[in-house]
Every structure is written in C-alpha cells, then in structure tokens.
Amino acid sequence: GAVVSQHPSWVICKSGTSVKIECRSLDFQATTMFWYRQFPKQSLMLMATSNEGSKATYEQGVEKDKFLINHASLTLSTLTVTSAHPEDSSFYICSATGTGSYEQYFGPGTRLTVT
Amino acid sequence: QKEVEQDPGPLSVPEGAIVSLNCTYSNSAFQYFMWYRQYSRKGPELLMYTYSSGNKEDGRFTAQVDKSSKYISLFIRDSQPSDSATYLCAMTNNFNKFYFGSGTKLNVKP
C-alpha cells in the first residue's frame, strides 16, 4: 500500500511559539490531503482539506490563521500551528488520497505538547 | 445529531471469539463505507472498504452495509490478541470529506 510519512512524530514546544508539521506521500501523488486532530479516546476531527495548489478548506470552528496549511506539491503538505497554547496539545494526523479515490492513507501522526 | 454514531466500548472478548462492531449514520447520501484499525499512538490503517449495500469478506474480516437501516458492521472471526486496537468506521459520498465514528476500543484477551 501507499505510504504517508509525518515529521516530526513528537514535538514539545513552549507556549507562544510556532510549530510546523510535514506530511509527505512517499510513493504516490496526493491530490488531496486531510488534516485531523485527535484527542485521547476520541475520534478523528477533520480540521481542513487541502488540494495541491489551492487554499485549504477549513472546517467550521477551526481558525485558519492559527492552523496554517500549505499544500505546495503533490507529495507535501504542511500544517503550522502558530502561537501555540497548551490547549493545542493533541495528536495531529494527516491523510492523503489520489484522484477520486476512497482510500485514505494515513500518516503515523504527530504528538504535539505545548508547555 | 452526529453524522456517524459508534459505541466507544471498550469491548473485551476472549481469544477466538467472534467480534461484532457497528456504526449507524444519518446521511442517506453516503455511498462508500470503510473500516479502519488504529493502534495506540499510530495513524489509522484501512481494513475494509464497501460500496453501497452488501457484504464483503477478507480473511477473518467481514464488512456489512445495510443502507435501508443506515447501519454498517464489521465482523472479526477467530479474534486474536493482535486484533486489540481501536476500530473506526468511516463513510463518504464524494471523497471530498470523510465522516468518522468515534471508534470502538477492542481488547482480545489471550
């Protein structure tokens, strides 16, 4: 199956700083990438959908100025958490699909801890 | 009302048991139904995919979709301790957005 990588897998940052998370599709072209947030013992909460070369579409309640998403190429999307606060601490997971595909390939996730 | 409802469990069964996991949904437009398995601190991995109503079998796993009842199931036969994980159902109508259940945590005891 296709592989999606995320980097870093775990990051600790201080309150007020920004953190960038990378999501890469390693062996296929990801026309669409999704960013999810997952709280302990809860399901995936979709934050935004990004298509290569387009602005991301954010879900209601997700601050686009706080969670900056860039999908610059067919293999790379980035999520930048700006001015992070402790309440932003969570597990962030990206996924990617090819054109018209039902199959989402998930990255391994990034655990963000804001102190 | 949530788009997709799933009992969070936890569900604890002995090794070898048949496991039944279920989701209900409210949007009749959903056409594509998926089951994912997620181990702790890992990203989900696709287990089964079904289009519209019907059954699909893959080894020890069987997925069922009943669109008339808006109800989907995943059955695991001869469950193994390695099946212990959280199982998430997901569905979509156009691949632009996927709706996930909250996940059911399964524990298979040796």
Side-chain angles (χ1 to χ4, degrees):
Chain A
V3 178
V4 174
S5 69
Q6 264 183 260
H7 178 80
S9 57
W10 184 40
V11 57
I12 301 174
C13 70
K14 291 187 176 179
S15 188
T17 61
S18 295
V19 173
K20 180 184 282 189
I21 302 170
E22 289 187 352
C23 177
R24 292 182 184 272
S25 58
L26 299 185
D27 51 3
F28 69 103
Q29 293 186 327
T31 50
T32 304
M33 284 187 169
F34 303 87
W35 285 95
Y36 294 89
R37 186 172 177 177
Q38 188 174 36
F39 292 101
K41 300 183 181 181
Q42 294 189 31
S43 189
L44 302 167
M45 184 193 84
L46 180 66
M47 298 176 67
T49 302
S50 72
N51 294 295
E52 184 264 339
S54 303
K55 288 185 178 179
T57 301
Y58 289 81
E59 293 298 300
Q60 192 172 10
V62 178
E63 298 175 61
K64 61 179 69 175
D65 294 330
K66 180 167 183 64
F67 298 99
L68 300 177
I69 291 172
N70 184 283
H71 192 162
S73 76
L74 283 170
T75 59
L76 174 64
S77 177
T78 59
L79 166 67
T80 301
V81 183
T82 62
S83 186
H85 290 283
E87 56 265 31
D88 298 325
S89 299
S90 191
F91 193 52
Y92 293 86
I93 307 177
C94 72
S95 71
T97 63
T99 304
S101 173
Y102 67 86
E103 194 151 5
Q104 277 189 92
Y105 297 99
F106 283 87
T110 296
R111 184 159 301 281
L112 170 64
T113 301
V114 184
T115 61
Chain B
Q1 183 186 8
K2 287 183 182 178
E3 297 269 7
V4 182
E5 299 276 1
Q6 184 176 8
D7 187 337
L11 180 62
S12 188
V13 301
E15 183 175 355
I18 296 175
V19 175
S20 173
L21 304 166
N22 312 292
C23 287
T24 59
Y25 62 95
S26 57
N27 188 345
S28 58
F30 290 144
Q31 294 279 0
Y32 306 90
F33 304 89
M34 291 134 283
W35 284 95
Y36 289 85
R37 177 174 61 196
Q38 185 177 21
Y39 292 110
S40 182
R41 298 176 183 262
K42 302 288 185 185
E45 56 176 327
L46 182 67
L47 273 179
M48 300 283 289
Y49 154 74
T50 311
Y51 170 69
S52 194
S53 283
N55 295 358
K56 188 171 185 178
E57 189 174 320
D58 184 1
R60 296 185 295 113
F61 298 90
T62 299
Q64 286 186 352
V65 175
D66 181 349
K67 290 194 69 182
S68 63
S69 302
K70 298 190 183 71
Y71 188 88
I72 70 170
S73 302
L74 176 71
F75 297 96
I76 307 174
R77 291 183 299 280
D78 188 24
S79 56
Q80 303 295 310
S82 58
D83 295 328
S84 298
T86 296
Y87 290 80
L88 297 147
C89 63
M91 46 203 79
T92 183
N93 57 331
N94 60 10
F95 308 127
N96 291 330
K97 184 172 179 179
F98 293 77
Y99 295 84
F100 285 83
S102 56
T104 300
K105 186 169 184 179
L106 172 67
N107 179 33
V108 181
K109 298 173 292 184

